[in-house]
Amino acid sequence: MPGFDQTLRPFLWRAERLYPDREIVTRTPEGRRRSTYAEYGDRVRRLASALDVAGVDRGDRVGTVCWNHDRHFETYFAVPNAGAQLHTINPLLPDEHIQYIVGNADDRLLFVDPSLAETVASAYDADAFASVERIVVVGDALPDVDLPDAITYEKFLRGHTADYEWPELPGDAPAGMCYTSGTTGNPKGVEYTQQMLWGHTMAMLTPQALGIEDSDVVMPVVPMFHVNAWGFPFAATAAGAKHVYPGPSPDPADLAALIEEEGVTITAGVPTVWLGLLEHLEDRDADLSTLERVVVGGAAVPEIVIRRFDDMGIEVLHAWGMTETSPVGTVARRKHGLEAADYDEQVTKRAKQGLIVPGLEFRVLKDGDEPIEWDGEDFGELLIRGPWVTDEYYGRPDANESDFEGSWLRTGDIVTVDPDGYVEIVDRADDVIKSGGEWISSQELENAVMAHEAVDEAAVIGVPHERWGERPVAFVVPAEGADRESLPDGIEALLREDYPDWWLPDAVEFIDAVPKTATGKFSKKDLREEFADEPLIEGQTPDARE
Ligand code: AMP
């Protein structure tokens, strides 16, 4: 039996002792803020003692609504190391989802960025936020919006010393939490235990996954509210690497400047971010020579991104994962032997979702329970399990029944596996849209559209898009006598009441009837096929599934 469980604590201890001067850099609206692991360790302990005094107990949840910055990173070690649970909340979600998430998680404290204070104020509802005792604004001054019981971060820390003793925690202590809102219905909460985060961190460090080292300068562009920024803050600390946080809403110029001036060696984000950076670089000179690898995930990487970065001597590592898998599950590394293949073949493999990370297992089943052939053509649903893959959702027996099979997680991703073991997603079982790495529920949208009095029926599908991956298009059957001219604007106005801009369909198409399956359900497949050759929106690309 090991003498001590697998927890995050030794990662921080080691970074403080071995790399006290290694830097943590954040881009802020006022300029770059710099600190070191030595200073970080002190601040993290001060935060832990402030949490203690605020009455945060073992297993209590502490929510964050923050962008990528050093203060958010302080909560990453302070909250779980103190025995509480760090619950990162996605501020891009519709208000109703945020209300559900905060209420379901019973968050006791909320850490909120000043630039997101309005988002929280707009979602604030005394009943849904009943568990929230205090809002800590992660800035120097309180914003000019109505947030009850708000206090600034520095005031929250004031008076607390760094001589806080970390508790000894069991490996199965809940440490993190993140909601996933892919499918219909309410978002589903995934809990991360100490040992899940430990295992995932160790896997990230291996060369078989991402091979993060102490010489690396790590810049997670993927938001820290998306599965702990894919685990990069933990892995960078475990390695003793330098951290670079891009702060609120970085644009491509900000990212290029950070890479160039801070010497970033590895960065990570969804394809949309890299398409933006590549476009920015087209007519500008930027020295990205320190950059060695770009981890692209959350949605499929277009081959052109791999080729363009290759031209600059930068390796794209395409990775697949889910909130449920902590998240990294596969990485499309160049497998031993592939160096000998011709370049196009290499790119084809590297554009797939990749090779399973050591420590995890998967299987692919068709027609219920028949394993597929690993021939790159046979396809089925991907099931995965392992030490950092969850086997249940928080308080959701309904979803547990449908999404798990014993220890196996049903991913909802329809995949092929080639003879080399590269997994490739060819479709999704669930009817959802992923735009810029963020989910849109097509069913929720079509229910909202059908609430319009001049709409008889509506179906929403995701259309492939060069920039965003997918964008929603609404197919609408107008009610008899409806004014077709004003209807699209009417639908938009209705949706705007409840949904953020980026959820709104890019186009509304009128049809006579929504195609149905034999059992009377909407057949989106038929709809997709019917309109496969028609350009419906600007930026549309051919559907890879056709
Ligand atoms: P989330 O839980 O929000 O991280 O979403 C997980 C889902 O995003 C997966 O089940 C896939 O459908 C999709 N996804 C994640 N990474 C990729 C990728 N590299 N390529 C295509 N789809 C991806």
Side-chain angles (χ1 to χ4, degrees):
M1 294 286 278
F4 199 71
D5 272 359
Q6 297 163 337
T7 64
L8 295 172
R9 173 183 155 144
F11 296 142
L12 175 61
W13 170 78
R14 181 175 179 274
E16 282 183 84
R17 299 309 300 261
L18 268 56
Y19 304 97
D21 302 326
R22 203 93 173 99
E23 276 187 309
I24 296 156
V25 180
T26 295
R27 169 184 158 268
T28 75
E30 293 80 38
R32 302 228 177 117
R33 191 161 57 212
R34 321 187 83 85
S35 62
T36 61
Y37 278 123
E39 290 160 343
Y40 174 76
D42 278 1
R43 284 184 61 88
V44 169
R45 268 186 293 275
R46 285 178 62 201
L47 175 54
S49 65
L51 292 171
D52 224 17
V53 171
V56 173
D57 282 328
R58 297 280 171 92
D60 281 351
R61 296 205 185 86
V62 172
T64 61
V65 189
C66 299
W67 300 113
N68 290 16
H69 52 68
D70 49 359
R71 305 297 185 238
H72 199 182
F73 176 44
E74 285 167 11
T75 68
Y76 265 50
F77 273 97
V79 174
N81 277 5
Q85 208 173 340
L86 179 73
H87 170 208
T88 54
I89 300 168
N90 183 346
L92 305 175
L93 295 176
D95 286 355
E96 239 180 73
H97 291 203
I98 295 181
Q99 287 160 2
Y100 171 81
I101 284 173
V102 170
N104 189 250
D106 270 329
D107 293 316
R108 288 191 57 186
L109 294 181
L110 278 188
F111 287 78
V112 177
D113 272 0
S115 60
L116 293 168
E118 234 173 275
T119 304
V120 173
S122 149
Y124 192 88
D125 168 281
D127 284 341
F129 281 56
S131 61
V132 178
E133 293 158 26
R134 186 136 239 207
I135 292 181
V136 181
V137 174
V138 191
D140 299 329
L142 291 180
D144 199 13
V145 290
D146 197 18
L147 287 177
D149 301 313
I151 179 177
T152 65
Y153 189 72
E154 293 308 319
K155 201 160 174 193
F156 186 70
L157 291 192
R158 198 170 299 155
H160 297 286
T161 64
D163 56 9
Y164 173 90
E165 284 285 326
W166 297 115
E168 292 194 5
L169 300 168
D172 62 1
M177 186 173 208
C178 189
Y179 280 73
T180 174
S181 43
T183 42
T184 50
N186 284 322
K188 296 174 286 190
V190 176
E191 294 192 278
Y192 308 114
T193 62
Q194 288 276 347
Q195 63 204 7
M196 285 167 80
L197 296 179
W198 187 93
H200 182 263
T201 302
M202 296 301 275
M204 297 269 283
L205 299 185
T206 66
Q208 288 280 325
L210 303 176
I212 298 171
E213 300 187 52
D214 60 359
S215 54
D216 273 316
V217 178
V218 180
M219 180 170 76
V221 181
V222 48
M224 291 173 82
F225 51 78
H226 271 318
V227 208
N228 305 315
W230 299 346
F232 277 91
F234 293 128
T237 308
K242 173 175 164 182
H243 301 233
V244 177
Y245 291 103
S249 320
D251 62 25
D254 297 321
L255 296 179
L258 285 168
I259 294 169
E260 190 166 348
E261 291 157 25
E262 301 298 338
V264 171
T265 60
I266 177 166
T267 180
V270 295
T272 307
V273 169
W274 309 120
L275 286 163
L277 179 67
L278 288 169
E279 195 181 301
H280 168 81
L281 294 175
E282 260 167 27
D283 46 7
R284 280 175 200 82
D285 267 342
D287 177 6
L288 304 192
S289 56
T290 57
L291 190 58
E292 294 165 6
R293 39 227 207 283
V294 176
V295 181
V296 187
V301 65
E303 274 196 24
I304 185 71
V305 172
I306 299 181
R307 291 175 188 273
R308 295 278 302 282
F309 275 115
D310 271 346
D311 291 344
M312 293 188 269
I314 298 164
E315 183 182 20
V316 165
L317 286 168
H318 184 205
W320 167 92
M322 302 174 71
T323 308
E324 292 87 335
T325 62
S326 296
V328 180
T330 66
V331 180
R333 297 171 41 252
R334 248 190 227 103
K335 193 181 176 186
H336 171 66
L338 189 62
E339 306 85 7
D342 74 47
Y343 180 66
D344 285 347
E345 190 186 334
Q346 291 191 25
V347 173
T348 305
K349 296 268 191 196
R350 290 166 57 210
K352 296 188 178 193
Q353 278 62 31
L355 303 169
I356 190 84
V357 164
L360 301 181
E361 285 172 279
F362 74 89
R363 58 189 193 191
V364 182
L365 301 179
K366 62 178 180 185
D367 305 327
D369 57 358
E370 192 192 332
I372 62 153
E373 295 294 329
W374 285 25
D375 59 5
E377 286 183 10
D378 207 8
F379 59 88
E381 187 182 6
L382 176 69
L383 282 77
I384 189 165
R385 72 175 173 193
W388 55 92
V389 177
T390 192
D391 64 354
E392 61 173 355
Y393 294 110
Y394 175 69
R396 286 291 296 275
D398 57 322
N400 288 344
E401 189 131 320
S402 55
D403 294 6
F404 296 93
E405 218 172 272
S407 54
W408 295 96
L409 165 74
R410 291 186 161 281
T411 66
D413 288 327
I414 308 298
V415 305
T416 61
V417 186
D418 70 19
D420 291 317
Y422 284 84
V423 174
E424 179 176 25
I425 298 185
V426 290
D427 204 353
R428 269 196 304 258
D430 297 325
D431 178 24
V432 279
I433 299 164
K434 210 169 201 190
S435 172
E438 301 284 344
W439 291 114
I440 295 172
S441 162
S442 55
Q443 279 190 30
E444 201 174 322
L445 268 188
E446 59 206 24
N447 287 340
V449 175
M450 283 191 281
H452 193 289
E453 56 188 10
V455 172
D456 260 357
E457 270 183 346
V460 173
I461 62 170
V463 170
H465 190 274
E466 60 186 10
R467 179 97 190 221
W468 302 106
E470 288 176 316
R471 287 298 303 152
V473 169
F475 290 86
V476 169
V477 182
E480 227 179 276
D483 173 7
R484 291 179 171 228
E485 200 141 316
S486 66
L487 190 50
D489 286 347
I491 290 172
E492 186 184 317
L494 183 70
L495 294 179
R496 266 188 204 285
E497 286 174 18
D498 292 315
Y499 296 101
D501 285 356
W502 64 275
W503 270 57
L504 305 184
D506 279 14
V508 172
E509 295 285 325
F510 293 131
I511 50 175
D512 294 336
V514 177
K516 312 267 177 9
T517 64
T519 54
K521 287 189 189 161
F522 285 1
S523 174
K524 307 265 183 95
K525 193 168 153 281
D526 286 339
L527 198 55
R528 231 179 247 124
E529 275 165 17
E530 200 177 320
F531 287 89
D533 299 327
E534 248 176 81
L536 300 165
I537 56 174
E538 212 175 305
Q540 184 174 346
T541 53
D543 194 337
R545 286 174 297 198
E546 298 308 321

